Amino acid sequence: MRMRSQFLIFVFTMNPPQPYGVFHAVMAAGAVCAVLIGWRLRNLSEAQKQKLLWRMGWVLLLAELAKQLFRFLIVDQGVYNWWYFPFQLCSVPMYLCLLLPMVKKGRRTIITFLADFALLGGAAVYLDPSDMLSPYVFLTLFSFLWHDLLIVIAMVCGTSESMQDNAAGAVKMLGLFGALCGIAEILNLVLSRYGELSMFYLSPKMANTQLVFRDIAQIWGTAAGNFSYFLAMIGGGLLMHRLWRKIRRKRHEESACDV
């Protein structure tokens, strides 16, 4: 078993690509393709978009299971690494897409959240891809393709008639974000006894590891790093919300001119 694991590690490893290099540029081109694919799906009916989102939720779930098995069996040699427990901001769309067919009252809020935060998460990682550049080929490609799928999901949701691009929609979207942050913090506290983890990068026991915010944590402490990161996520979500509002208004104006 050990020899087989060593063989698989040899086959699936590489020298980690450098941030902002050729590999990063190629992957960024993939993100542009994701935007174009998502935009081409804008004219699907609402029912078709709902079904597509549900199916993409299953794609994300199966991909996540494959990643978890790969890490558990190959990378960590049968010891579960709680750092990779799937409840980061970029993991949440998997659950929400699968949840969509089961909810009615909060469906518009979920669609709005996915439009704003899936786009934020999918795009932000390309600014700082260091966490995704693994020595394992599968994990590196998985990370980039996962975030490309988030961009497609965001584009589908952002062009959906169910999205609420007004102030009320922003408030509800932030309410859902706050609830998810609360769940993440509970997981950080409850599961920390089993190993290091920082869901949503907000663990009170660990300094933030994200670009810029890790420097804030180093200078002013963990709480300052986490709080500033929390505010940055809120600001990013609102920025995406405003961007969608402008895109949707322009699209409606163009549709009115064509009539």
Side-chain angles (χ1 to χ4, degrees):
M1 180 66 179
R2 184 173 179 79
M3 290 181 62
R4 182 185 178 189
S5 298
Q6 292 297 327
F7 171 75
L8 290 173
I9 289 174
F10 175 77
V11 170
F12 290 120
T13 55
M14 63 177 176
N15 292 325
Q18 295 300 311
Y20 317 113
V22 175
F23 182 84
H24 185 191
V26 171
M27 293 296 102
V32 174
C33 291
V35 171
L36 296 176
I37 291 171
W39 186 249
R40 285 183 64 86
L41 297 171
R42 69 189 182 279
N43 293 323
L44 293 177
S45 68
E46 285 302 299
Q48 290 174 320
K49 288 181 178 180
Q50 298 287 336
K51 290 180 181 179
L52 177 61
L53 290 170
W54 183 72
R55 289 168 182 168
M56 292 186 73
W58 277 104
V59 170
L60 291 175
L61 176 61
L62 294 174
E64 181 63 36
L65 289 174
K67 184 192 83 171
Q68 293 289 331
L69 285 172
F70 185 88
R71 288 209 62 91
F72 181 71
L73 296 175
I74 305 302
V75 180
D76 299 316
Q77 298 289 294
V79 178
Y80 189 73
N81 188 339
W82 287 94
W83 183 269
Y84 296 98
F85 185 79
F87 202 83
Q88 296 289 2
L89 183 61
C90 293
S91 308
V92 165
M94 172 179 67
Y95 304 108
L96 295 181
C97 284
L98 292 173
L99 187 63
L100 269 177
M102 295 177 256
V103 298
K104 291 183 179 181
K105 187 176 181 180
R107 183 173 296 173
R108 291 170 65 86
T109 300
I110 290 176
I111 293 291
T112 304
F113 177 92
L114 289 171
D116 296 338
F117 279 100
L119 183 59
L120 175 65
V125 293
Y126 283 94
L127 300 177
D128 179 22
S130 53
D131 284 349
M132 303 197 299
L133 300 175
S134 166
Y136 296 91
V137 178
F138 170 74
L139 294 179
T140 298
L141 292 177
F142 171 91
S143 296
F144 281 102
L145 292 175
W146 179 281
H147 290 87
D148 290 346
L149 281 176
L150 295 190
I151 292 174
V152 175
I153 289 172
M155 298 296 293
V156 171
C157 291
T159 57
S160 168
E161 292 303 318
S162 297
M163 182 193 172
Q164 296 176 293
D165 61 359
N166 54 17
V171 171
K172 293 178 181 179
M173 173 269 293
L174 290 179
L176 177 56
F177 171 72
L180 292 169
C181 285
I183 295 172
E185 202 68 346
I186 291 172
L187 291 174
N188 287 331
L189 295 172
V190 172
L191 298 178
S192 61
R193 69 186 69 178
Y194 303 111
E196 292 185 347
L197 76 160
S198 184
M199 301 298 97
F200 278 47
Y201 296 99
L202 294 175
S203 173
K205 299 182 178 181
M206 298 184 62
N208 197 291
T209 60
Q210 298 297 288
L211 186 69
V212 176
F213 304 101
R214 59 191 175 213
D215 297 324
I216 294 175
Q218 185 176 8
I219 297 172
W220 288 293
T222 298
N226 288 348
F227 185 65
S228 58
Y229 183 68
F230 176 73
L231 292 180
M233 285 193 288
I234 291 176
L238 291 174
L239 181 63
M240 295 300 105
H241 195 78
R242 184 175 179 82
L243 174 64
W244 278 123
R245 186 173 186 178
K246 288 186 176 182
I247 292 174
R248 289 162 63 84
R249 278 187 174 180
K250 185 175 181 180
R251 189 182 176 199
H252 289 157
E253 289 172 0
E254 292 174 351
S255 298
C257 291
D258 293 337
V259 175

